[in-house]
Amino acid sequence: MKRKLIPIITNSLLIAVVLVVSLIGFIGGSAVAVSNDNENLYYSAENGEGVSLMFNVYEHTDNVLEILDILDEYGAKSTFFIGGSWADDNVDCVREIFNRGHELASHGYFHKDHSRMTYEQNLEEIRPSVKILNMICNTHINLFAPPSGAFCEATLNACASMDLRVIMWSRDTIDWRDKDVNLIYSRATKNLKSGEFVLMHPTDCTVQALPQILTYIRDGGLTAVTVSHNLGE
């Protein structure tokens, strides 16, 4: 009887070990499941008064300046989530964004995968980006968008400790990958409604599509506003 029990017990222990290791590996990797109910995490503004076009910026300074001109032409305001390393090399452009009445926000410093970072590593990556934007424009940064939309519980906790809201999006134009202007326009506008956050980047095709997008917003009775404005701040 004892000989029969030993394999059973051994197999049970092995199964338990595998389950524990699998769970730890899942939690420690980029596939971390985080509740959408977190009060510091936003995919849209439930009672938003407009549409928020969000530009994640780590490159293409010339395109950023063109986007600013187009936004001015339509009387639109936007939120620019800026990488700290880019801001360090483009101080004048950062000031131009701010001086034209747009919102500055953090996009980390080196475009890293925040879902694989500890609480301390998230702090080390986000805090300098906030600091440099504050220094350049003497403003208060209160929003953070994780690069590639990758984050974990440690990211949320780190942002909460710095009084940063974590911003995702309700629709992604995927303009960093696809070069079809019509496709970018369609992703940004199809069934668009108030309170939505639209993710964009300063690519050549986005510059071409932006006037059409802003025309759609205006003609649809919507307004292009900053994320903070949409959140009621």
Side-chain angles (χ1 to χ4, degrees):
M1 184 68 177
K2 288 183 178 179
R3 290 180 180 178
K4 292 182 179 180
L5 285 174
I6 290 174
I8 294 174
I9 295 173
T10 301
N11 289 337
S12 298
L13 289 173
L14 285 173
I15 292 171
V17 170
V18 170
L19 288 173
V20 170
V21 171
S22 298
L23 180 60
I24 292 174
F26 179 77
I27 293 175
S30 60
V32 176
V34 180
S35 171
N36 290 353
D37 294 331
N38 188 291
E39 62 180 11
N40 204 40
L41 176 63
Y42 299 85
Y43 289 83
S44 63
E46 291 185 4
N47 299 309
E49 296 181 359
V51 175
S52 294
L53 302 182
M54 312 187 307
F55 295 93
N56 289 352
V57 184
Y58 264 98
E59 57 185 354
H60 301 314
T61 304
D62 289 343
N63 283 347
V64 172
L65 293 172
E66 284 195 59
I67 287 170
L68 292 177
D69 289 339
I70 296 170
L71 292 172
D72 280 353
E73 181 181 347
Y74 284 81
K77 297 303 178 186
S78 182
T79 299
F80 289 77
F81 290 88
I82 295 175
S85 57
W86 180 85
D88 196 22
D89 295 330
N90 295 274
V91 172
D92 289 342
C93 190
V94 174
R95 288 198 179 115
E96 188 72 15
I97 294 170
F98 181 73
N99 289 337
R100 294 208 198 185
H102 302 289
E103 181 175 35
L104 300 179
S106 168
H107 198 40
Y109 203 90
F110 287 118
H111 205 278
K112 293 184 177 181
D113 183 350
H114 286 261
S115 71
R116 296 181 178 274
M117 294 183 184
T118 64
Y119 174 82
E120 290 76 15
Q121 289 170 333
N122 270 282
L123 286 177
E124 291 172 2
E125 172 66 10
I126 300 170
R127 185 180 285 135
S129 70
V130 172
K131 183 176 181 180
I132 191 170
L133 293 174
N134 284 336
M135 289 176 60
I136 291 174
C137 295
N138 190 29
T139 186
H140 178 65
I141 304 301
N142 58 11
L143 304 177
F144 167 73
S148 304
F151 67 93
C152 61
E153 204 71 47
T155 311
L156 298 179
N157 292 336
C159 286
S161 73
M162 292 182 282
D163 294 323
L164 294 172
R165 295 187 180 191
V166 179
I167 306 300
M168 296 295 286
W169 58 85
S170 59
R171 58 178 66 213
D172 186 355
T173 59
I174 320 179
D175 53 357
W176 56 270
R177 185 192 70 189
D178 298 332
K179 309 304 178 185
D180 187 326
V181 173
N182 291 328
L183 188 57
I184 292 170
Y185 168 79
S186 177
R187 287 173 178 158
T189 60
K190 186 176 182 180
N191 300 321
L192 185 66
K193 58 185 180 298
S194 186
E196 291 211 60
F197 296 165
V198 183
L199 178 60
M200 311 178 80
H201 300 79
T203 66
D204 292 341
C205 289
T206 296
V207 172
Q208 295 177 50
L210 187 57
Q212 301 173 54
I213 294 170
L214 289 169
T215 296
Y216 178 93
I217 291 173
R218 181 190 61 197
D219 292 350
L222 299 170
T223 308
V225 300
T226 67
V227 170
S228 288
H229 181 97
N230 233 342
L231 292 174
E233 296 183 352

